[in-house]
Amino acid sequence: MTQIDLSQGLSELTQALIDIESVSGNEEQIATAVFDALKPFEHLRLVREGNAVIAMTNLGRASRVLIAGHLDTVPVAGNLPSKLMHFEREQVIFGRGAVDMKAGIAVMLKLASELVSPKYDITWIFYDNEEVASDLNGLGRISRQHPELLKGDFAVLCEPTSALVEGGCNGTMRVEITTKGKAAHSARPWMGHNAIHDLAPALEILKTYEPQTISVDGLEYRESLNAVLVSGGVATNVIPDQAKLTVNFRFAPSRSGAEATAHLRELFEGFDLSVTDLAEGARPGLDLPQAQDFLAATKGTPKPKYGWTDVARFSSLGVPAVNYGPGDPNLAHADNENVPVGHLFDCEKGLRAWLTGLN
Amino acid sequence: MTQIDLSQGLSELTQALIDIESVSGNEEQIATAVFDALKPFEHLRLVREGNAVIAMTNLGRASRVLIAGHLDTVPVAGNLPSKLMHFEREQVIFGRGAVDMKAGIAVMLKLASELVSPKYDITWIFYDNEEVASDLNGLGRISRQHPELLKGDFAVLCEPTSALVEGGCNGTMRVEITTKGKAAHSARPWMGHNAIHDLAPALEILKTYEPQTISVDGLEYRESLNAVLVSGGVATNVIPDQAKLTVNFRFAPSRSGAEATAHLRELFEGFDLSVTDLAEGARPGLDLPQAQDFLAATKGTPKPKYGWTDVARFSSLGVPAVNYGPGDPNLAHADNENVPVGHLFDCEKGLRAWLTGLN
């Protein structure tokens, strides 16, 4: 059984975590290693729930904060084991999960073991299956089966943000636009009706759409509207009787899912449009006192989060949440995924200052 | 072994031919039946070439005409065996191949057996693999391996034309229009470039294109330009980095393939366009004396053929050719494929008048 030594440095700890392969669905080994590493620390109550591990302090503090991260990664792409590389100005750790999000897990584990008397009670959450279909998500499973474990006043998700605070997240929805025609032999197209040609105005709408940037609780959320899939036609000598365009709308958390749907229905009026997928956004909630404390401690200017993350899951549980973690989010899932070692120490320092109240 | 009796009526003969299943690649049984049925007739010299059968008169006539039809059909769709149905105004034969083109084969066999002293020498050609990839086509194979068998001054292809004369045929070509973008996570589309959106102007060109109708040798050829396939995108959260549109251009036989290509390159200027398939059209050649004789005998007003047929193959061998056969071409390949019995007698009468010179 692989063991993790929490007394080693953050950089070594990150590499050790990366080197435990944990592609979604295969988190048992890393979950056990995390559980075993935290077991010696008497200030923590541990719960193992499937391949999730929850570690809680119970000091009777007035306020409880949740700090969460997922243990799984997207599939390995020849980028294991990890490598530490020394560049002129910085050290960088390469490997699957370096950014998303073994570096964040390393910071969490280090602080979970060391902060025996934090300012708030803390619930540390290490969960499984974040990189796959939403219904498998470990955080979602815990919220359904053990909602009492997710009670708190504020949450930090240690997803990569380049060690900056990113508040809330955009909502996301997908719609399918379907056009119907009439099949005919392509030698006599006047006997039929071309469904692919009927997509022309829908593509024109997408091409000329000017997405908005919307201010929510002081953060600027940049929206976007894009075709992600298109298909149509059955054979090269048949006038196509159906074509389908899948469109992804990323909308600011000031819009509800229903409002976003109404916006698309108005935009594509006259088209047969169906919603196939919808996830609400999350407002940043940076006006709350715990959030203000957090911002003061991490000394960062908060930014909006464009991607949909599990902060929206906390948001739907009534717990305001922000993203804050090491690594450039643009490198998440990339084959050359890598995290600057400096980010590890920045995040560890920011969280420690907030959780101890000692800036 | 299934035998065909050529002394039976045209309607019964058509049904007998339909009931010998001969989906492309499975023509051996029907080719053998055709060969055996013609063997007793001493005015014919028979050649079996693969699953093609050629029957020739050799009377030393000044002119030789070719009359051709294919033995294969598209796949059966629950439409065998054949059925004769009696409607108020006509009798109709239903079944796979009724239109395309067992009815034409029946007319050919009947006349081949009966016309012992025609006005022209005749080469009757029954061939395989017309409904599949062009390189398998039996007529093409004969033209490559035994070109001497296809010598003649004029050809009639008994493809379905509703017993009207259809001259020449449109050319056909397919091009692929490919757009390239840059992949990015769809939460941050400004990091990428959307290849599907770039198809918008191409679809707009197709939607607003006004196809021409071009007069060639007195027949009006209607052109058309249609998208037949479209595809793009890899996942619903990725900005697509490639999209592909397949376009089919049916062009009048007055344009060469090179001219048709130039027309599309001009129309879609700025797009990455590649030609994937090109078949030249065939001019109707109705100004030739044999064609004039044929038109006089069949008493029809010739029409243009829109679909690409093997007349273009004859045309490329230097033999002008027309289509003339029973059945509505719009029902070819349809599950309810059916031929009015009246068409059988019309075509049999037209061809007999032409070939005997007795109007």
Side-chain angles (χ1 to χ4, degrees):
Chain A
M1 212 58 211
T2 308
Q3 296 207 334
I4 310 174
D5 172 11
L6 296 187
S7 69
Q8 63 190 324
L10 261 181
S11 177
E12 292 76 14
L13 180 55
T14 298
Q15 285 199 261
L17 288 164
I18 293 172
D19 292 341
I20 304 176
E21 185 260 278
S22 60
V23 175
S24 309
N26 191 32
E27 300 93 338
E28 184 168 359
Q29 192 187 357
I30 196 167
T32 299
V34 164
F35 188 93
D36 291 347
L38 292 174
K39 205 159 44 178
F41 297 94
E42 294 182 356
H43 65 288
L44 296 172
R45 180 168 81 89
L46 290 187
V47 177
R48 168 93 184 234
E49 197 285 331
N51 286 330
V53 176
I54 292 135
M56 311 173 80
T57 68
N58 285 295
L59 303 164
R61 301 290 191 247
S63 183
R64 175 176 289 279
V65 298
L66 311 175
I67 303 179
H70 61 85
L71 298 171
D72 61 320
T73 70
V74 295
V76 179
N79 48 7
L80 282 187
S82 63
K83 271 183 249 172
L84 176 68
M85 300 185 70
H86 299 259
F87 296 108
E88 189 173 339
R89 291 168 193 276
E90 62 183 2
Q91 294 186 348
V92 175
I93 299 169
F94 282 75
R96 172 58 74 226
V99 168
D100 193 5
M101 53 174 283
K102 298 284 178 80
I105 296 293
V107 171
M108 288 170 64
L109 283 172
K110 196 77 180 166
L111 290 171
S113 67
E114 292 183 8
L115 299 180
V116 295
S117 183
K119 183 175 169 187
Y120 311 103
D121 267 316
I122 308 174
T123 303
W124 303 94
I125 305 163
F126 305 88
Y127 62 102
D128 55 295
N129 281 304
E130 194 269 349
E131 298 288 6
V132 286
S134 181
D135 58 336
L136 297 176
N137 186 294
L139 195 60
R141 187 182 66 244
I142 297 168
S143 74
R144 288 189 300 274
Q145 300 185 355
H146 302 283
E148 73 282 0
L149 295 176
L150 299 186
K151 280 194 178 145
D153 303 297
F154 185 67
V156 176
L157 201 60
C158 294
E159 288 273 1
T161 60
S162 293
L164 303 171
V165 179
E166 294 188 346
C169 73
N170 270 334
T172 179
M173 68 182 294
R174 290 177 186 85
V175 297
E176 280 181 4
I177 293 172
T178 307
T179 53
K180 300 271 185 200
K182 186 181 167 212
H185 196 290
S186 69
R188 291 174 291 278
W190 47 88
M191 309 283 291
H193 180 84
N194 195 313
I196 294 178
H197 293 191
D198 283 355
L199 282 183
L203 285 186
E204 194 58 29
I205 288 166
L206 288 170
K207 202 173 168 64
T208 59
Y209 183 77
E210 296 195 359
Q212 289 183 263
T213 295
I214 298 177
S215 182
V216 183
D217 298 349
L219 298 189
E220 303 288 310
Y221 285 86
R222 192 166 169 180
E223 296 191 327
S224 62
L225 182 68
N226 273 275
V228 285
L229 296 174
V230 66
S231 63
V234 291
T236 58
N237 61 351
V238 176
I239 299 300
D241 64 348
Q242 185 170 312
K244 190 177 284 185
L245 185 67
T246 304
V247 173
N248 184 206
F249 183 35
R250 302 279 175 156
F251 53 95
S254 54
R255 297 195 203 249
S256 68
E259 287 164 350
T261 304
H263 178 62
L264 292 195
R265 288 207 184 280
E266 189 186 349
L267 198 60
F268 293 103
E269 199 187 339
F271 281 96
D272 173 1
L273 178 151
S274 66
V275 177
T276 56
D277 182 27
L278 174 64
E280 303 275 348
R283 297 183 72 102
L286 295 177
D287 44 346
L288 294 164
Q290 296 89 342
Q292 291 293 325
D293 265 13
F294 179 74
L295 290 177
T298 53
K299 298 190 174 72
T301 307
K303 298 200 312 171
K305 186 78 180 170
Y306 295 122
W308 193 92
T309 75
D310 276 335
V311 298
R313 221 176 275 278
F314 283 117
S315 184
S316 71
L317 291 169
V319 185
V322 297
N323 296 282
Y324 177 68
D328 178 351
N330 291 317
L331 290 177
H333 305 190
D335 292 353
N336 69 338
E337 191 176 350
N338 67 84
V339 62
V341 170
H343 282 190
L344 299 173
F345 292 101
D346 289 346
C347 287
E348 192 259 349
K349 187 176 161 195
L351 286 172
R352 187 186 293 271
W354 174 52
L355 294 168
T356 59
L358 306 170
N359 284 354
Chain B
M1 213 56 212
T2 308
Q3 295 206 335
I4 310 175
D5 172 10
L6 295 187
S7 70
Q8 63 190 324
L10 260 182
S11 177
E12 292 77 9
L13 180 55
T14 298
Q15 285 199 263
L17 288 164
I18 292 172
D19 292 342
I20 304 175
E21 185 261 278
S22 59
V23 174
S24 310
N26 190 32
E27 299 95 338
E28 183 166 3
Q29 193 187 355
I30 198 166
T32 300
V34 164
F35 189 92
D36 291 347
L38 292 174
K39 203 159 45 179
F41 299 94
E42 294 181 355
H43 65 289
L44 296 172
R45 178 168 81 90
L46 291 187
V47 177
R48 168 95 184 232
E49 198 284 330
N51 285 330
V53 176
I54 292 135
M56 312 173 80
T57 67
N58 286 295
L59 303 164
R61 301 291 191 248
S63 183
R64 174 175 292 279
V65 298
L66 310 175
I67 304 180
H70 62 85
L71 298 170
D72 61 320
T73 70
V74 296
V76 179
N79 48 7
L80 283 187
S82 63
K83 271 183 248 172
L84 176 68
M85 299 187 70
H86 299 261
F87 296 107
E88 191 173 337
R89 292 170 191 273
E90 62 182 2
Q91 293 185 349
V92 175
I93 299 168
F94 282 76
R96 171 58 74 227
V99 168
D100 192 6
M101 54 172 284
K102 300 284 177 79
I105 297 293
V107 171
M108 288 169 63
L109 284 171
K110 196 78 178 164
L111 291 171
S113 68
E114 291 182 8
L115 299 180
V116 296
S117 184
K119 185 175 167 190
Y120 311 103
D121 269 314
I122 308 174
T123 303
W124 303 94
I125 304 162
F126 306 88
Y127 63 101
D128 56 296
N129 283 304
E130 193 270 347
E131 298 289 5
V132 286
S134 181
D135 58 335
L136 298 174
N137 186 294
L139 195 60
R141 186 182 64 244
I142 298 167
S143 74
R144 288 189 300 274
Q145 300 185 356
H146 302 282
E148 72 285 0
L149 295 175
L150 299 186
K151 280 194 179 146
D153 303 297
F154 186 65
V156 176
L157 201 60
C158 294
E159 288 272 1
T161 61
S162 293
L164 302 171
V165 179
E166 295 187 346
C169 72
N170 270 334
T172 180
M173 69 182 295
R174 291 179 185 84
V175 297
E176 281 181 3
I177 292 172
T178 306
T179 53
K180 300 270 187 202
K182 186 181 167 212
H185 196 290
S186 69
R188 290 174 291 277
W190 47 87
M191 309 283 292
H193 180 85
N194 195 312
I196 293 177
H197 293 192
D198 283 354
L199 283 183
L203 285 185
E204 194 59 29
I205 288 166
L206 289 169
K207 201 171 169 65
T208 57
Y209 184 77
E210 297 195 359
Q212 288 184 262
T213 295
I214 298 178
S215 183
V216 183
D217 298 349
L219 297 188
E220 303 288 309
Y221 286 86
R222 192 167 168 181
E223 297 191 326
S224 63
L225 182 69
N226 273 276
V228 286
L229 296 173
V230 66
S231 64
V234 291
T236 59
N237 62 351
V238 176
I239 299 301
D241 64 348
Q242 184 167 313
K244 191 177 283 185
L245 185 66
T246 304
V247 173
N248 183 207
F249 183 35
R250 302 279 176 156
F251 54 95
S254 54
R255 297 194 203 249
S256 68
E259 286 163 351
T261 303
H263 178 61
L264 292 195
R265 289 206 184 279
E266 187 185 351
L267 198 59
F268 293 102
E269 198 188 339
F271 280 96
D272 173 0
L273 179 152
S274 66
V275 177
T276 56
D277 183 25
L278 173 65
E280 303 275 348
R283 297 182 72 102
L286 294 177
D287 43 346
L288 295 164
Q290 297 90 339
Q292 291 292 324
D293 265 12
F294 179 75
L295 290 177
T298 53
K299 297 189 175 71
T301 308
K303 299 199 312 172
K305 186 79 179 170
Y306 294 122
W308 193 91
T309 77
D310 275 334
V311 298
R313 223 176 274 277
F314 284 116
S315 184
S316 71
L317 292 169
V319 185
V322 297
N323 295 282
Y324 177 67
D328 177 351
N330 291 317
L331 290 176
H333 305 190
D335 292 354
N336 68 338
E337 190 176 351
N338 67 84
V339 63
V341 170
H343 282 191
L344 299 173
F345 293 100
D346 289 348
C347 287
E348 192 259 351
K349 188 175 161 197
L351 287 172
R352 188 186 294 272
W354 174 51
L355 294 168
T356 59
L358 305 170
N359 285 355

